[in-house]
Amino acid sequence: DDWKFAAIRFPGLANPASTRTRQVLKLLTDNGFYDPIRDTTITPINGEDGSRGYALGQLPMNRELALMFNGRDNRYIIDGGIEHKYFAVGDKVMATKNDHEQGITNGMTGIVTKIERHDGYAGIRGRFGLIDEVEAWLALNDDHVAIDLESIKNTVAAVRQGKEDAKEKRDRGPASHHVTVAFGSGKNAREIKFSTLSEVGSLMTAYVVTCHKMQGGEAPIIFILCH
């Protein structure tokens, strides 16, 4: 009765439940009840493609909610090493690795405030940038894409053969873009620039997080998915 707790049951499987969850979150946001930056949604699963209930996992849900809450315009495809990142200024992100020199701890959340081209990037530039620009480049450069995919395949093979030194050297290299993130507020606010492949790769979109990632965190309103 006091609205400190409410439960909503979504009948059906994970895919329709994921759609209904996004609809409810949008309704609550549009009515000023839920703030996707201040508040959070917790899920029990990561959501790799094909896994049980994956549509309710943090990976697919974050892809959808980033577009819903912050749009597609000015969204970048960024080389983050093993993963490509799809960030836009204003996105809520989480650091997933400790960096004591920068004062970053695993689980800290912040807001992307700036995305800048990294002039030191050694990869194929056309594959990374604003989504529309990358799609236009890919449509005209199929041969380059094939060459790059083969390069990635060789890199993965080398890592699997135990050449960890090559992987570490690559991770220390420059990412395709600098990503600046604002952490904290008030006197504790600070901006940190992530520039290497491993640094950018350590950031994840964080509108939805797993219960594991949320350990020790706080939010005024929490939407919990129980599948």
Side-chain angles (χ1 to χ4, degrees), residues 48 72 87-88 146 157 160 169 181 192 196 209 217 219:
E48 288 85 358
R72 186 180 188 276
F87 291 150
R160 287 176 176 173
K169 182 178 180 181
V181 179
I192 297 175
T196 69
V209 296

Side-chain angles (χ1 to χ4, degrees), residues 90-112:
D91 273 346
K92 181 180 180 180
V93 295
M94 175 181 284
T96 63
K97 292 182 180 179
N98 295 323
D99 186 336
H100 300 299
E101 290 185 6
Q102 295 271 31
I104 299 172
T105 57
N106 184 359
M108 285 178 58
T109 58
I111 307 300
V112 176

